[in-house]
């Protein structure tokens, strides 16, 4: 099958670029002797997770149990879920999931610790946990140092739980487009993680794993002494956000959307069959209300428009596209874009080599 | 099953409010003697489309062939697709679909007209079309008056096609929060539609249907003399956008998200298990970077945060929510939010009466 045989809108994954992106991060991690545990939230596709493992990843990271269930069902058997497991439904599902895969979960409160421990004890299971540390994103997580120690010191009360280590998502790196500033902020997060691990060790607590993660910080924090694991996700595809941050070149972005011109109602306007529901509106405001760009056509602007329509205008005032023409679009946020689609196409040149189900799409539970 | 039995995040549809919203629009349309052909893009659920038909709708509107295919497979047999059908794949699918349902499609160019006609002729099918008129949204559509006449006068060249009428989506109504201004803009659109139909009739062309659509304009344009059909969609659920426009009261919003507090990392911050992938980021910028509100808790702010985390802060500086507590959230854009989910729950009071598959979710092709 050729790309020309595909109906639109269709998500295309450039397999050459995908493989190069996977290899680049794997080689970096190997050179730095840091374990790579990529986050699958970007692609949501078991086959791509397998490519990451074959390149050297030690396991995968998921955000939600539903994603982990899908990955485990496809044979991925070493999964870190970087999300507190709260409530009876999820504890039930976690104990089920542990029969299929080695699963570690995370927590940042005793309110999450006690019910998890009780359920594991009831099921006569041992369970590894990691403590989330807030190094500046101000989302979940305990503050570094003493607050982490205080929470970890509660663990011996719960013999069904075992500490694997500490982790952070230094996602505030996204707020620093300037590389020097970003380096400063990210290395501060690395220092806080190492300082916290040292404090635990001083108190006789084994803290084997110090885990960090985010694509724009990976090549910085991966060089820090003492970091044992990193969990970047977006690097497999990259997108306009990564491009803006300098984490990739435009020709390294592996995920795009193929769309068709459906109307040419005015000389300065073309309408395509890809809108919010195809591209997603993530970060639209950061890109002047655009939800993507047209590949190879810098003079065109692709406006955030409506659910099924994209509005393309031109800086020149005239557009040479006609009804039926096809364009390729790069998304602002590849993870969000992937989440809109049930299947995507792996392409090499003009040939469609793979039809992949986005199996973990929408698994928000 | 009770709401307390549901895992989170979960989309709840308040059935009382849904039924009242459906009834209110149906009664209005009946009183105005305007046909109601609701757009299913909001709910994407055949069972809700059936409720709309039972309340008096004459048929449904879909945006994409994929949505129409799902609706037809569920027995909905009078479908207007308000989207030009471009390309061989879609022409193939349209001819298939016509075997199951009475389908009318739209166009705004001879580039769309000629291949559609050729395919219908080849299949020995007759096909009804409507001409899209641009009354100010500046998306698809021919300008009112002479340009519409010129396009319609091409139709006799294509005997397989028959004109049903003209339609517009006066979606620019969304840009006018002030009701008086909105009335002026919307009634101008109605006038342009009537003037265009009159011009066609003066040239001996039957133009049976004058169709308009949009929830914030429905109760205005539905009163205009000569309008024969309207196609609002969002009114079944409503959302924060409609609330801002005064198209509904907050207690009429029928779709909400049930979420759980998963972390209380600071006195002034609660983290819930609903983020961008649960709520969607549509219109976040218009609502000061929030992607929803917490029902009944006006002092709380629900920030646009990240894919699986929502960050709640309080104007008081302190939050009384604890880990495991549940909150209900109203979305900015109900249609976009529905598109993130595979299933939703129809509730009456605390009882879950329906589990509905969002069957037309993601059908962007």
């Amino acid at each position: 099958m050729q790309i020309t045989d595909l109906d639109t809108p269709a998500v295309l994954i450039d397999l050459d670029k995908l493989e190069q992106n996977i290899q680049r991060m794997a080689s970096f991690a190997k050179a730095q002797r840091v374990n790579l545990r990529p986050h699958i939230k970007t692609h949501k596709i078991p086959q791509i997770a397998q490519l990451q493992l074959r390149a050297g990843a030690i396991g995968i990271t998921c955000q939600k149990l539903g994603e982990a269930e899908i990955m485990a069902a496809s044979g991925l058997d070493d999964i870190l879920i970087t999300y507190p497991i709260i409530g009876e439904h999820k504890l039930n599902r976690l104990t089920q999931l542990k029969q299929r895969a080695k699963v570690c979960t995370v927590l940042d409160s005793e309110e999450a610790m006690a019910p998890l421990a009780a359920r594991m004890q009831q099921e006569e299971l041992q369970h590894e946990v990691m403590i989330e540390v807030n190094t500046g994103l101000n989302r979940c997580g305990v503050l570094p140092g003493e607050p982490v120690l205080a929470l970890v010191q509660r663990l011996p009360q719960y013999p069904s739980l075992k500490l694997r280590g500490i982790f952070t998502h230094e996602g505030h790196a996204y707020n620093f487009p300037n590389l020097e500033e970003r380096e400063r902020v990210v290395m501060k997060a690395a220092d806080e993680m190492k300082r916290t691990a040292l404090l635990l060790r001083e108190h006789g607590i084994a803290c084997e794993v110090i885990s960090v993660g985010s694509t724009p910080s990976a090549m910085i924090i991966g060089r820090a002494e003492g970091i044992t694991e990193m969990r970047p996700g977006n690097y497999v595809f990259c997108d306009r956000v990564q491009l803006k941050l300098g984490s990739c070149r435009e020709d390294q972005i592996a995920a795009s959307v193929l769309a068709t011109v459906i109307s040419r109602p005015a000389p300065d306007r073309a309408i395509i069959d890809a809108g919010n529901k195809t591209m997603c509106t993530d970060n639209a405001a950061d890109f002047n209300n655009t939800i993507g760009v047209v590949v190879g056509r810098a003079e065109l602007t692709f406006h955030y428009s409506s659910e099924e329509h994209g509005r393309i205008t031109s800086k020149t005032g005239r557009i040479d596209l006609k009804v039926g023409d096809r364009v390729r679009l790069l998304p602002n946020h590849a993870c969000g874009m992937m989440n809109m689609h049930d299947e995507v196409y792996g392409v090499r040149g003009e040939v469609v080599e793979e039809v992949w189900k986005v199996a973990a799409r929408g698994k928000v539970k």
Side-chain angles (χ1 to χ4, degrees), chain A:
Chain A
M1 190 161 57
Q2 301 275 311
I3 290 177
T4 49
D5 297 323
L6 295 176
D7 199 359
T8 66
V11 175
L12 308 182
I13 307 299
D14 186 302
L15 296 173
D16 289 332
K17 293 176 185 179
L18 173 71
E19 289 162 6
Q20 285 159 18
N21 292 345
I22 288 174
Q23 194 53 56
R24 192 180 312 116
M25 191 62 81
S27 300
F28 171 80
K30 194 176 173 191
Q32 300 300 323
R33 298 184 185 172
V34 178
N35 290 323
L36 179 60
R37 183 183 284 283
H39 206 307
I40 63 83
K41 77 194 183 85
T42 301
H43 52 73
K44 307 170 185 73
I45 295 175
Q47 294 92 327
I48 295 182
Q50 295 287 4
L51 294 179
Q52 292 173 303
L53 287 179
R54 283 205 283 280
I58 61 159
I60 60 168
T61 305
C62 296
Q63 203 74 334
K64 291 285 182 101
L65 262 171
E67 294 174 335
E69 287 163 347
I70 292 288
M71 293 292 150
S74 295
L76 291 137
D77 58 4
D78 187 339
I79 303 174
L80 169 66
I81 303 176
T82 45
Y83 207 82
I85 303 299
I86 305 293
E88 283 303 301
H89 281 95
K90 294 211 169 61
L91 291 172
N92 293 342
R93 290 164 61 198
L94 178 60
T95 58
Q96 292 289 318
L97 182 60
K98 280 172 70 77
Q99 296 173 5
R100 311 184 78 157
K102 183 182 173 194
V103 183
C104 176
T105 64
V106 309
L107 49 83
D108 69 354
S109 69
E110 194 157 358
E111 287 74 19
M113 188 186 286
L116 176 65
R119 172 57 65 94
M120 292 299 156
Q121 188 153 21
Q122 183 191 323
E123 306 280 342
E124 298 182 357
L125 291 169
Q126 280 288 307
H127 187 65
E128 276 195 322
V129 294
M130 295 186 75
I131 306 298
E132 178 156 6
V133 183
N134 173 15
T135 54
L137 181 60
N138 295 332
R139 203 169 65 179
C140 290
V142 188
L143 288 172
E146 293 290 342
V148 175
L149 177 65
L151 183 59
V152 167
Q153 284 178 328
R154 301 298 301 155
L155 268 176
Q157 315 293 319
Y158 304 104
S160 60
L161 301 185
K162 180 173 177 289
L163 184 70
R164 179 187 286 184
I166 57 176
F167 89 104
T168 194
H169 171 50
E170 67 283 6
H172 48 301
Y174 280 92
N175 301 328
F176 297 90
N178 178 287
L179 184 60
E180 260 179 59
E181 278 185 75
R182 187 151 87 241
E183 282 180 339
R184 186 181 53 72
V185 165
V186 168
M187 290 313 274
K188 181 168 176 284
D191 283 344
E192 288 178 337
M193 292 300 282
K194 286 185 286 178
R195 178 170 63 83
T196 301
L198 189 65
L199 182 68
L200 297 181
R201 288 165 191 157
E202 283 169 0
H203 284 77
I205 299 162
C207 178
E208 267 181 43
V209 178
I210 303 179
S211 176
V212 298
S214 114
T215 291
S217 63
M219 299 283 188
I220 305 165
I221 203 165
R223 297 182 194 276
E225 278 296 314
I227 297 297
T228 71
E229 177 181 282
M230 54 186 217
R231 311 180 317 277
N234 191 285
Y235 75 96
V236 288
F237 295 153
C238 296
D239 52 25
R240 288 181 85 196
V241 170
Q242 301 299 339
L243 187 63
K244 197 180 200 175
L245 290 167
S247 312
C248 70
R249 300 190 311 264
E250 183 168 324
D251 64 4
Q252 292 174 321
I253 299 178
S256 64
V257 167
L258 184 71
T260 300
V261 176
I262 56 151
S263 176
R264 281 303 322 277
D268 61 349
R269 185 165 85 243
I271 306 294
I272 57 173
D273 62 352
N276 306 347
K277 279 169 66 179
T278 300
M279 302 294 291
C280 95
T281 54
D282 291 4
N283 303 101
D286 299 343
F287 289 97
N288 200 20
N289 282 337
T290 62
I291 56 170
V293 285
V294 184
V295 176
R297 301 296 298 267
E299 81 283 14
L300 300 180
T301 302
F302 172 34
H303 292 278
Y304 162 25
S305 177
S306 46
E307 288 160 70
E308 307 288 9
H309 297 77
R311 187 191 279 118
I312 292 179
T313 56
S314 174
K315 287 163 194 159
T316 69
R318 293 195 78 81
I319 299 177
D320 61 358
L321 296 168
K322 56 186 192 304
V323 170
D325 282 355
R326 290 175 165 206
V327 292
R328 276 210 214 183
L329 311 161
L330 301 182
N332 294 347
H333 185 205
C335 319
M337 182 272 289
M338 288 293 287
N339 193 50
M340 312 304 271
H341 299 274
D342 292 326
E343 65 177 28
V344 300
Y345 304 92
V347 302
R348 208 177 300 273
E350 292 302 308
V351 177
V352 179
E353 284 191 10
E354 306 282 355
V355 181
W356 280 325
K357 185 169 187 292
V358 188
R361 186 212 67 73
K363 300 298 176 195
V364 292
K365 281 189 182 126

